[in-house]
């Protein structure tokens, strides 16, 4: 582990060695240490003096009350990643002098931090959630530019606002504190709370943006150190992206790049003069200057002629042919520039009719961009098939809703029954634009369809992706279910909490368990113990079949229990949960940081295994949770659009139980 300017960098997650944290907490808020440890799947202890920190090597998480840290400068000597935590519900104990000596600052709004929010924060700062890598793989990415003076106004509708967004921009310079003179710049304390509120409400990566007065914003330019202080805090708050304007002095941009930790830099440059030329040497120089520290380079100008759009497109193609990276986001502002907003593919800013104002002239919503792409013939109208029980259970209707909401160029068609020949017939149609298949179809030789590694290993295809390439249309059979299961497993735990641990998997057959095995393998689980089936497929992990309940002693404390049994058999799970809960308590271990998933459809009532598990302290999820995450993954694969999981829950309703 190396530290640069106080922010820890862990180059690799060493699977067997947990990352070590020192958590500073407010008076009477030591519980935060337990939640941090739970999310990491590790043990914790609290200490009363920093001097003895080195003696507690067995604990991955150490906690100390922040008032006990007399000499902040020795925090760096503990060899741990230091996170100062503050509860915003009560006395505000924030002390900038102390936080300055910490790597990160984590703010939470309720009595206890939620595991979900902490899992996201820790997963990111520890380098386990690599959202930038994932976004770089997408053909098009968008960012929702929020323009609220107080983000609280947006929160109740956030799922609707962010449909189709891949990231969300917090325009810090547009924030306004209540009761303070209206021209005042928001304080760091206020901005910290706004970041916290936004992060607690959305899974999307946050882009922390400060626009100066010259670039359509409100931040002053006479004291760059002032802006620097906010950017430094954004890194401490674990914002995924920090927008750094190119006018800032070189030493400031250099320092930010040095200390950025896991955050990525968007180098930003705007021109409002109306005289900028995309075909000038200056344009190339600006790109090169931005590329020095930028993980993304953004250049935006105000235009009034169509030719300037053509010049930008020529510039874009030149840049793309000459530089593999960083990705380039180039736009023209103003009504004429809207064409460039549809052609740009990297973090295209989007607005929404419910926002108080657009962040820049000419901004479009995600639906408007999709409509324009369709009318320009950039994306072709095609048929998206929902295959299987999808009509009866409402899933076809759900797909229709999503497509309408985003103005996507698809006609939803459904097919009740499917077999190899009907699928082959569909796929041969000229207008075939992809398919969602429920229940999934087994991969077998009569399918003339290339399949992803995941689909081959799992043996099932639930999604057929159609893409247009220069060589024509290509089709790929894929599996979204395993990704939905993995997302559920990661809801309240960082990925490394599964490393080397045991899981128990119940199913009637290997086929029903295959997607779960693939997901657990991806998370680096140690051994999977199976009940009810034998795993015959080759895997990189250990899989052991248990003979019966007497064999349970062989698995001491499984970190995860997953049941893929049918609903009518899921009653066998409750005694098992009780057995392990009892067993754990006897051994002094807690069930609080263990995960349970029931994949059976339609379970309800008193014998519901999910409520049993949750009442016993497990993090428990049912089929609706897994299906919501799977739908999100399916839509990403099929139509390349990102929908918030909560929007999917809302729009999919009861169909999530099938
Ligand atoms: O840089 C940009 C792009 C933007 O200026 C636009 O033109 O949409 C809007 C800003 O909020 C954002 O930071």
């Amino acid at each position: 582990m190396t530290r640069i300017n106080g922010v820890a960098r862990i180059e690799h997650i060493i699977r067997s060695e947990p990352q070590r944290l020192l958590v500073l907490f407010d008076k009477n808020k030591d519980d935060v240490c337990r939640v941090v440890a739970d999310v990491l799947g590790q043990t914790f202890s609290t200490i009363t003096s920093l001097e003895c920190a080195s003696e507690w090597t067995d604990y991955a998480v150490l906690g100390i009350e922040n008032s006990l840290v007399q000499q902040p400068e020795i925090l760096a000597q503990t060899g741990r990643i230091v996170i100062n935590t503050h509860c915003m519900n009560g006395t505000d104990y924030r002390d900038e002098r102390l936080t300055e000596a910490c790597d990160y600052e984590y703010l939470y709004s309720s009595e206890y931090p939620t595991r979900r929010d902490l899992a996201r924060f820790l997963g990111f700062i520890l380098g386990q959630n690599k959202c930038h890598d994932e976004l770089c793989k997408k053909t098009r990415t968008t960012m929702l530019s929020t323009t609220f003076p107080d983000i609280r106004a947006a929160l109740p509708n956030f799922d609707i606002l962010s449909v189709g967004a891949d990231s969300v921009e917090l325009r810090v310079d547009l924030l306004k504190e209540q009761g303070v003179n209206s021209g005042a710049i928001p304080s760091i304390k206020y901005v910290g709370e706004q970041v916290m509120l936004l992060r607690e409400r959305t899974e999307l990566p946050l882009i922390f943006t400060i626009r100066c007065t010259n670039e359509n914003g409100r931040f002053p330019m006479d004291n760059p150190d002032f802006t620097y202080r906010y950017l430094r805090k954004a890194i401490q708050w674990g914002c995924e992206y920090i927008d750094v304007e190119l006018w800032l002095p070189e030493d400031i941009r250099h320092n930010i790049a040095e200390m950025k930790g896991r955050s990525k830099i968007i180098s930003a440059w705007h021109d409002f003069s109306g005289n900028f030329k995309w075909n000038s040497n200056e344009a190339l120089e600006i790109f090169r200057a931005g590329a020095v520290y930028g993980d993304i380079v953004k250049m935006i100008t105000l235009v009034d002629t169509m030719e300037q759009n053509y010049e930008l497109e020529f510039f874009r193609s030149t840049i793309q042919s000459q530089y593999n990276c960083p990705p380039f986001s180039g736009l023209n502002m103003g009504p004429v520039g809207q064409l460039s907003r549809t052609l740009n593919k990297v973090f295209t800013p989007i607005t929404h009719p419910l926002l108080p104002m657009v962040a820049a002239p000419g901004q479009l919503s995600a639906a408007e961009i999709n409509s324009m792409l369709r009318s320009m013939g950039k994306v072709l109208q095609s048929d998206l098939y929902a295959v299987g029980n999808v009509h009866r259970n409402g899933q076809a209707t759900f797909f229709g809703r999503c497509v309408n909401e985003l103005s996507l160029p698809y006609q939803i068609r459904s097919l009740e029954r499917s077999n190899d020949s009907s699928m082959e017939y569909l796929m041969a149609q000229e207008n075939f634009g992809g398919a969602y298949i429920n229940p999934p179809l087994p991969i077998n030789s009569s399918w003339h369809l290339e399949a992803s590694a995941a689909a081959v290993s799992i043996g099932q295809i639930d999604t057929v992706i159609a893409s247009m390439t220069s060589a024509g249309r290509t089709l790929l059979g894929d599996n979204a279910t395993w990704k939905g299961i993995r997302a559920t497993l990661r809801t309240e735990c960082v990925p490394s909490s599964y490393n080397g641990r045991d899981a128990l998997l119940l199913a009637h057959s290997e086929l029903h368990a295959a997607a779960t095995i693939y997901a657990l393998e991806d998370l680096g689980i140690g051994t999977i113990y199976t009940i009810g089936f034998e795993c015959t497929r080759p895997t990189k992990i250990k899989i052991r079949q248990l003979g019966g309940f007497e064999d349970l002693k062989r698995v001491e404390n499984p970190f995860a229990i997953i049941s893929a049994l049918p609903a009518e058999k899921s009653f066998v799970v409750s005694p098992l949960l009780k057995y392990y809960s009892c067993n754990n308590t006897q051994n002094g271990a807690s069930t609080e940081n263990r995960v349970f998933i029931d994949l059976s459809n339609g379970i309800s009532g008193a014998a519901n295994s999910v409520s049993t598990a949750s009442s016993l302290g497990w993090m428990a999820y049912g089929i609706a949770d897994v299906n919501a995450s799977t739908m999100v993954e399916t839509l990403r694969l099929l139509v390349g659009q990102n929908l918030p999981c909560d929007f999917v829950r809302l729009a999919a309703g009861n169909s999530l139980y099938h």
Side-chain angles (χ1 to χ4, degrees):
M1 188 169 84
T2 56
R3 272 167 196 269
I4 296 173
N5 280 10
V7 173
R9 269 202 195 165
I10 303 118
E11 297 309 338
H12 302 287
I13 300 166
I14 303 160
R15 294 213 150 196
S16 51
E17 248 191 58
Q19 291 157 304
R20 299 191 170 270
L21 268 54
L22 177 64
V23 177
L24 276 49
F25 55 86
D26 293 340
K27 193 162 188 273
N28 298 329
K29 293 288 174 201
D30 51 334
D31 246 3
V32 66
C33 304
R34 182 185 50 76
V35 188
V36 169
D38 279 356
V39 164
L40 296 176
Q42 299 294 337
T43 49
F44 80 97
S45 181
T46 51
I47 54 174
T48 49
S49 113
L50 274 187
E51 282 70 29
C52 63
S54 57
E55 291 158 28
W56 296 81
T57 45
D58 284 354
Y59 292 90
V61 179
L62 278 188
I64 184 166
E65 189 178 308
N66 36 37
S67 65
L68 298 176
V69 181
Q70 303 300 338
Q71 292 171 281
E73 49 298 345
I74 63 171
L75 285 168
Q77 293 159 22
T78 59
R80 290 175 179 259
I81 299 164
V82 184
I83 308 174
N84 200 1
T85 65
H86 292 292
C87 172
M88 294 292 95
N89 180 11
T91 315
D92 187 347
Y93 287 103
R94 279 179 284 178
D95 166 4
E96 262 320 301
R97 197 182 66 93
L98 178 56
T99 308
E100 184 51 35
C102 300
D103 298 314
Y104 294 98
E105 181 178 54
Y106 176 72
L107 308 176
Y108 55 102
S109 64
S110 44
E111 198 52 16
Y112 306 105
T114 61
R115 284 197 288 228
R116 188 182 286 253
D117 186 50
L118 253 178
R120 171 193 170 156
F121 175 77
L122 293 173
F124 175 69
I125 65 162
L126 299 179
Q128 299 189 26
N129 297 345
K130 298 196 167 59
C131 57
H132 182 63
D133 296 354
E134 290 302 314
L135 288 180
C136 285
K137 289 184 205 147
K138 281 195 76 182
T139 322
R140 291 175 172 276
T141 47
T142 59
M143 66 165 200
L144 175 73
S145 304
T146 62
T147 50
F148 293 90
D150 180 345
I151 200 69
R152 263 172 265 252
L155 302 182
N157 294 321
F158 212 79
D159 297 327
I160 312 268
L161 289 176
S162 56
V163 168
D166 295 298
S167 60
V168 51
E169 174 184 59
L170 182 67
R171 274 289 298 269
V172 174
D173 58 296
L174 298 182
L175 295 173
K176 287 187 186 143
E177 263 168 282
Q178 265 193 8
V180 178
N181 120 40
S182 65
I185 298 299
S187 66
I188 284 194
K189 286 198 166 182
Y190 180 69
V191 176
E193 284 167 44
Q194 295 279 307
V195 168
M196 166 193 79
L197 291 167
L198 192 52
R199 184 170 48 216
E200 284 178 347
R201 186 66 188 84
T202 173
E203 319 114 54
L204 293 174
L206 300 193
I207 301 177
F208 185 94
T209 301
I210 289 175
R211 285 276 159 268
C212 67
T213 45
N214 260 8
E215 305 203 8
N216 204 27
R218 295 199 319 125
F219 256 55
M221 299 177 73
D222 51 359
N223 181 5
D225 281 339
F226 181 71
T227 302
Y228 171 76
R229 285 215 298 278
Y230 283 75
L231 297 176
R232 157 99 176 104
K233 288 301 296 183
I235 295 170
Q236 286 197 318
W237 292 323
C239 291
E240 285 83 354
Y241 292 92
I242 319 288
D243 181 291
V244 180
E245 292 183 331
L246 196 56
W247 71 271
L248 285 163
E250 152 83 24
D251 60 334
I252 288 192
R253 286 181 286 122
H254 174 87
N255 280 350
I256 292 169
E258 284 281 279
M259 68 168 66
K260 70 180 180 179
R262 300 287 164 188
S263 301
K264 299 287 176 203
I265 292 178
I266 301 180
S267 165
W269 175 89
H270 288 70
D271 175 272
F272 284 85
S273 69
N275 302 324
F276 179 74
K277 297 261 172 291
W278 284 107
N279 52 10
S280 62
N281 271 343
E282 188 196 356
L284 211 54
E285 275 159 27
I286 292 170
F287 175 81
R288 289 202 191 111
V292 175
Y293 301 118
D295 298 290
I296 291 175
V297 174
K298 175 154 84 178
M299 293 171 62
I300 301 191
T301 73
L302 186 65
V303 302
D304 53 16
T305 69
M306 205 38 128
E307 280 65 43
Q308 286 163 296
N309 286 327
Y310 305 143
E311 284 162 12
L312 164 57
E313 290 322 308
F314 185 72
F315 181 77
R316 199 192 305 283
S317 65
T318 313
I319 290 291
Q320 278 161 358
S321 61
Q322 286 178 13
Y323 300 88
N324 266 342
C325 79
F328 170 65
S329 179
L331 295 171
N332 284 331
M333 289 179 288
V336 181
Q338 288 184 331
L339 176 66
S340 69
R341 291 186 185 269
T342 63
L343 297 178
N344 180 59
K345 292 188 174 165
V346 179
F347 279 149
T348 304
I350 53 171
T351 182
H352 191 280
L354 292 178
L355 286 172
M357 60 178 188
V358 290
Q363 261 194 351
L364 298 165
S365 67
E368 283 169 331
I369 292 181
N370 291 331
S371 305
M372 282 179 73
L373 284 170
R374 182 191 341 196
S375 53
M376 283 155 50
K378 285 275 169 194
V379 286
L380 299 178
Q381 176 83 34
S382 58
D383 294 334
L384 201 61
Y385 285 88
V387 180
N389 304 329
V390 292
H391 210 52
R392 237 175 317 124
N393 64 25
Q395 282 163 357
T397 318
F398 161 73
F399 277 103
R401 260 184 223 141
C402 296
V403 160
N404 280 344
E405 184 69 24
L406 281 161
S407 283
L408 292 170
Y410 295 103
Q411 179 82 31
I412 303 294
R413 302 200 180 276
S414 51
L415 176 75
E416 283 285 318
R417 293 239 170 76
S418 68
N419 53 33
D420 292 357
S421 57
S422 57
M423 278 312 294
E424 280 195 296
Y425 173 76
L426 287 190
M427 292 187 309
Q429 300 304 302
E430 207 185 317
N431 266 354
F432 179 81
Y436 160 75
I437 311 168
N438 179 16
L441 286 176
I443 290 193
N444 69 35
S445 50
S446 74
W447 275 63
H448 297 299
L449 179 64
E450 201 188 319
S452 67
V456 171
S457 169
I458 295 165
Q460 290 167 347
I461 290 178
D462 58 22
T463 312
V464 181
I465 308 162
S467 346
M468 282 309 284
T469 65
S470 48
R473 191 184 60 172
T474 60
L475 299 180
L476 180 75
D478 207 344
N479 186 294
T481 307
W482 81 270
K483 288 190 173 177
I485 297 171
R486 183 184 60 177
T488 311
L489 288 165
R490 286 168 48 161
T491 312
E492 295 172 280
C493 295
V494 299
S496 68
S497 56
Y498 289 88
N499 287 175
R501 311 296 275 274
D502 292 342
L504 199 63
L505 179 53
L506 297 91
H508 255 10
S509 71
E510 188 176 0
L511 197 67
H512 290 113
T516 307
I517 294 177
Y518 197 80
L520 287 169
E521 192 174 355
D522 184 77
L523 288 170
I525 200 86
T527 305
I528 300 179
Y529 290 91
T530 71
I531 297 185
F533 71 98
E534 188 192 351
C535 182
T536 54
R537 71 196 57 229
T539 56
K540 287 186 234 105
I541 50 171
K542 279 190 259 161
I543 303 201
R544 304 268 179 275
Q545 186 180 12
L546 298 181
F549 275 79
E550 49 310 336
D551 258 7
L552 289 181
K553 289 190 198 75
R554 282 173 57 194
V555 198
E556 224 182 280
N557 284 320
F559 183 68
I561 297 184
I562 296 145
S563 167
L565 292 170
E568 66 279 9
K569 289 281 157 50
S570 78
F571 64 88
V572 303
V573 180
S574 293
L576 224 141
L577 284 164
K578 285 180 190 151
Y579 170 80
Y580 281 116
S581 307
C582 232
N583 198 28
N584 289 346
T585 322
Q586 276 161 15
N587 295 342
S590 112
T591 45
E592 296 262 305
N593 59 351
R594 282 147 209 270
V595 181
F596 171 71
I597 301 183
D598 193 327
L599 295 168
S600 63
N601 296 347
I603 40 163
S604 60
N608 179 337
S609 57
V610 179
S611 31
T612 308
S614 144
S615 67
L616 291 168
W618 295 67
M619 298 178 238
Y621 314 93
I623 187 68
D625 301 303
V626 177
N627 280 349
S629 299
T630 304
M631 286 293 187
V632 171
E633 299 293 346
T634 305
L635 285 157
R636 280 185 191 148
L637 292 173
L638 272 184
V639 300
Q641 299 278 333
N642 197 37
L643 280 90
C645 209
D646 285 342
F647 175 85
V648 169
R649 282 174 199 279
L650 191 78
N654 274 343
S655 70
L656 289 181
Y657 290 89
H658 301 279

